[in-house]
């Protein structure tokens, strides 16, 4: 279900615009079906790994600060044209060669 390229939203099966109640409901729904105490003995190890991914997704997305950091990393800062000088056609500051003369404010 969840590969390394799967987002936390995909793990919980929710939209990126989901609010706290939708996140909690999705977590509870998945916990009832994937928790290692609920599944059969043959599926316990797979279920435990899946449940850890589900719990990690819930703990990140249910905290507003962690979710904001995750969304920033997921969508990248360069996707916002207001935050990126490269989007406006200017080279990024770090790509400009620097030396003593160019670093002066005169």
């Amino acid at each position: 279900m969840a590969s390394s390229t799967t987002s936390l939203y995909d793990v919980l099966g929710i939209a990126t615009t989901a609010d706290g109640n939708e996140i909690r409901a999705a977590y509870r729904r998945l916990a009832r079906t994937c928790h290692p105490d609920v599944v059969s003995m043959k599926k316990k190890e797979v279920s435990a790994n899946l449940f850890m991914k589900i719990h990690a997704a819930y703990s990140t997305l249910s905290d507003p600060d962690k979710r904001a950091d995750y969304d920033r990393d997921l969508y990248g800062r360069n996707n916002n044209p207001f935050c990126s000088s490269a989007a406006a056609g200017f080279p990024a500051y770090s790509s400009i060669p620097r030396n003593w003369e160019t670093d002066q404010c005169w």
Side-chain angles (χ1 to χ4, degrees):
M1 177 180 177
S3 68
S4 61
T5 59
T6 303
S7 74
L8 298 180
Y9 295 102
D10 294 335
V11 170
L12 292 180
I14 57 174
T16 56
T17 57
D19 63 357
N21 291 330
E22 292 171 310
I23 293 169
R24 186 178 321 116
Y27 172 73
R28 289 175 161 231
R29 177 179 38 82
L30 291 170
R32 274 181 276 181
T33 60
C34 298
H35 196 280
D37 293 342
V38 178
V39 299
S40 66
M41 290 299 288
K42 292 184 256 181
K43 298 180 181 178
K44 282 214 185 272
E45 188 168 329
V46 173
S47 177
N49 292 333
L50 181 59
F51 184 73
M52 285 192 286
K53 290 178 185 176
I54 292 168
H55 182 71
Y58 173 72
S59 66
T60 299
L61 297 179
S62 63
D63 182 1
D65 295 330
K66 289 181 184 178
R67 183 177 181 179
D69 290 340
Y70 175 75
D71 287 345
R72 235 178 272 117
D73 291 340
L74 180 65
Y75 296 114
R77 292 188 177 127
N78 290 335
N79 290 341
N80 185 350
F82 299 108
C83 295
S84 174
S85 61
F90 299 108
Y93 181 75
S94 61
S95 67
I96 298 172
R98 299 178 66 199
N99 59 32
W100 183 82
E101 290 86 11
T102 59
D103 288 344
Q104 300 304 309
C105 297
W106 42 311

